[in-house]
Amino acid sequence: MYIIDNTELIKIRREFHQNPELGGNEYKTMDRICRCLDSWNIEYEKGVAETGVVAIIRGKNKEPGSKCIAVRADIDALPIKEEADFGYKSLNEGIMHACGHDAHTAIALMTAKIIKSLEDEINGDVKFFFQPAEETTGGAERMIEHGCLKNPDVEFVFGLHVSTTLETGIIGIKYGKMMAASDEISISVRGKSCHGAQPHNGADPIVAASGIVLALQSIISRNISPLNSAVVTMGRIQGGTQTNIIPDNVYLDGTMRTLDPETREFMKKRISDVVENVSEAYGTEGTVSFRESYGPLINNDRAVDLLRETAVDVLGNDNVKILEYPDMGTEDFSYFCLYTKSCFFNLGCRSTGAKEVYPLHSSKFVLDEECLQIGVKVQVENILNILR
C-alpha cells in the first residue's frame, strides 16, 4: 500500500509554477528536481541534454528478463506573461507554465517517490525522464542521443499531458496516430521587376505567389484521402516596396502538418511540384525548402492496452475516453515512439462546471489541481501492473 501526499504534491507543483524557465535554460528547475530526488534517496544523472535529469529506481525483486519502463515529464515553460490572479503565479516576468509542464513534473516526481518506497516489490527498473525544451528544440531527441533509453534498455515509455478539453477525473487515450508531424515551409518566387502600369514588361511574382497559395490548398482536397488528414497553412507573405512597382521576388512561409511518414514525404514532393509548376506557368521561378520539426506521434498498441487496463481499474471504464481524432498539434514525445513502445495520453484538468475554460498556451490558463493525484495514481498503478 502507498499514500499520495496531496499537500506535498500541490506544494511541489506550485513551486515549479512560480519559477518557470524557458527551454534550454531550465537550470534552476533541474536543481529543484534534483533536490527532491536527493531527499528521497533516488539515483539520478543531471545535465542530460544540458538541463534534463534521468532518475532510476532499481527494483529489488528482479528476476531474469525483467523489464525497464520509463515515465517522461517535460519541464520547460513558455514566453507568456501570466494574467491569472492567484498567490502562486509566476515570479519570472514574461515566462509562464502555460502548458502544464509544472504539473507533469510534479506528477512524475511524486510517482518516483512512491515507486522508491515500493522498490522491494518491483520486478524491474523504472526510469524517469525530466526532459527540457519540449516547446522549442526537441529535448527528447537529445536525451535519447545521450542514451536515456539504454543501460538498462527501456521497453515502454509513458507520458501524459494535461488537457482542458477533458474534465478532471477523465483521461483520454488514442491508439495509433495521436499527434501530427510539423514542417516549416519556405517558398521563394523570383520574377522580373517592372512598372505596375506596364506588367507585360516583367514577370509578376505576386500573381504567381497568389496562384501557389490557392493551388497548395487543392493538395489537401484532391490529393489526400478524405480518411487521412494533413494541413498546409501559409502564414506569411513578403514582397514589394511600392504600390506601382512589380517586385523581383516574393517570399512565403508556412507550416505543414501530417500524421505519418508516408504522407509527410508525399506532401513535400507535391508541394515542391506545385511551387515549381505554378511558378513556371506565370513565367517566374519558384523554389521551396522544408525545415523538419517533430515527427508524428504514433502510440504503440501494446503500450496503450497496458495503460488502458490500468486506467479502467483506477478510474472506471466511463472515465477512460478513447479519442476519436488525432490532434494536429505536435509533441516531441514522438521521438520516444520511434525507438521504443510508447504511450502518450491526456489527463483531464478542467474543473467540473467551470464557467471559463482557457486553453493551453493561454496567458490565463489554469488547471484543476485535483488532477495531479489522479495522474500520480494512474502512473504508479501502471508501473506496478507491469513490474509486479
Side-chain angles (χ1 to χ4, degrees):
M1 291 294 294
Y2 60 88
I3 296 174
I4 299 173
D5 187 337
N6 199 42
T7 299
E8 181 183 24
L9 177 59
I10 290 174
K11 180 181 178 181
I12 292 171
R13 182 255 164 172
R14 290 185 178 184
E15 182 179 358
F16 285 112
H17 189 87
Q18 281 189 297
N19 298 277
E21 295 176 296
L22 298 178
N25 293 287
E26 309 97 326
Y27 294 100
K28 293 181 180 179
T29 301
M30 176 177 64
D31 289 341
R32 285 189 173 88
I33 291 168
C34 293
R35 285 199 296 271
C36 288
L37 297 173
D38 283 332
S39 70
W40 302 326
N41 196 32
I42 295 175
E43 176 187 347
Y44 65 85
E45 178 185 2
K46 67 184 294 189
V48 179
E50 294 188 22
T51 51
V53 180
V54 175
I56 184 168
I57 298 168
R58 304 180 191 275
K60 296 183 178 180
N61 190 33
K62 287 191 288 188
E63 300 174 357
S66 62
K67 296 180 175 65
C68 175
I69 65 176
V71 170
R72 176 272 204 163
D74 37 11
I75 65 175
D76 56 325
L78 288 159
I80 295 174
K81 178 179 174 62
E82 187 162 24
E83 295 185 33
D85 186 20
F86 41 72
Y88 58 91
K89 67 186 297 184
S90 173
L91 299 175
N92 296 339
E93 185 68 20
I95 304 176
M96 175 190 173
H97 270 298
C99 202
H101 295 185
D102 53 333
H104 305 166
T105 304
I107 289 169
L109 280 169
M110 184 57 67
T111 301
K113 179 183 180 181
I114 292 170
I115 293 301
K116 178 65 176 178
S117 72
L118 301 171
E119 63 183 345
D120 289 343
E121 306 173 25
I122 295 175
N123 175 26
D125 299 319
V126 187
K127 291 184 178 181
F128 293 85
F129 303 150
F130 297 95
Q131 180 219 300
E134 188 280 325
E135 299 285 1
T136 52
T137 57
E141 182 179 35
R142 288 183 286 125
M143 290 191 83
I144 293 168
E145 290 172 351
H146 185 87
C148 71
L149 295 175
K150 301 295 184 181
N151 301 316
D153 291 349
V154 174
E155 182 168 351
F156 295 100
V157 180
F158 296 90
L160 60 77
H161 204 298
V162 294
S163 173
T164 57
T165 65
L166 300 171
E167 288 189 350
T168 299
I170 296 174
I171 70 163
I173 63 175
K174 180 77 173 67
Y175 285 90
K177 302 173 186 179
M178 183 170 184
M179 299 187 75
S182 174
D183 296 283
E184 291 184 4
I185 308 167
S186 294
I187 298 170
S188 173
V189 183
R190 186 172 67 185
K192 180 181 178 183
S193 179
C194 66
H195 196 287
Q198 301 167 341
H200 57 285
N201 291 326
D204 193 336
I206 290 180
V207 173
S210 300
I212 288 170
V213 171
L214 293 175
L216 289 177
Q217 300 311 306
S218 71
I219 298 175
I220 306 301
S221 64
R222 288 296 176 265
N223 299 136
I224 298 296
S225 167
L227 303 179
N228 195 359
S229 294
V231 173
V232 176
T233 296
M234 303 312 299
R236 180 170 57 189
I237 301 178
Q238 294 178 313
T241 58
Q242 299 293 329
T243 59
N244 63 342
I245 298 175
I246 290 174
D248 280 317
N249 298 289
V250 171
Y251 304 96
L252 305 91
D253 296 290
T255 186
M256 179 184 84
R257 304 296 172 99
T258 51
L259 291 170
D260 58 67
E262 294 76 21
T263 305
R264 191 180 198 182
E265 292 308 309
F266 172 82
M267 288 290 294
K268 287 180 181 179
K269 183 179 187 307
R270 197 73 190 92
I271 289 170
S272 298
D273 290 344
V274 166
V275 170
E276 293 172 11
N277 293 329
V278 171
S279 296
E280 183 179 1
Y282 284 99
T284 59
E285 181 181 357
T287 58
V288 60
S289 62
F290 300 91
R291 188 174 75 86
E292 288 193 357
S293 183
Y294 305 154
L297 195 165
I298 303 175
N299 279 331
N300 173 267
D301 286 354
R302 177 56 181 153
V304 177
D305 280 340
L306 291 169
L307 190 281
R308 182 182 183 182
E309 290 168 10
T310 296
V312 169
D313 287 342
V314 172
L315 303 174
N317 191 64
D318 290 345
N319 292 319
V320 180
K321 305 297 183 184
I322 306 297
L323 303 177
E324 186 174 2
Y325 300 109
D327 184 338
M328 299 308 288
T330 62
E331 234 296 341
D332 81 341
F333 187 86
S334 60
Y335 289 112
F336 294 112
C337 299
L338 291 174
Y339 296 99
T340 190
K341 296 189 282 289
S342 301
C343 173
F344 195 68
F345 63 98
N346 289 337
L347 176 69
C349 70
R350 186 181 76 233
S351 297
T352 303
K355 294 181 180 179
E356 291 183 300
V357 178
Y358 297 100
L360 301 176
H361 290 212
S362 165
S363 61
K364 295 183 178 181
F365 167 70
V366 179
L367 60 79
D368 179 6
E369 291 182 316
E370 289 300 310
C371 77
L372 301 176
Q373 58 183 325
I374 295 170
V376 173
K377 183 75 171 177
V378 170
Q379 293 282 39
V380 168
E381 289 297 323
N382 194 48
I383 292 168
L384 296 180
N385 286 343
I386 297 171
L387 297 184
R388 268 182 170 171

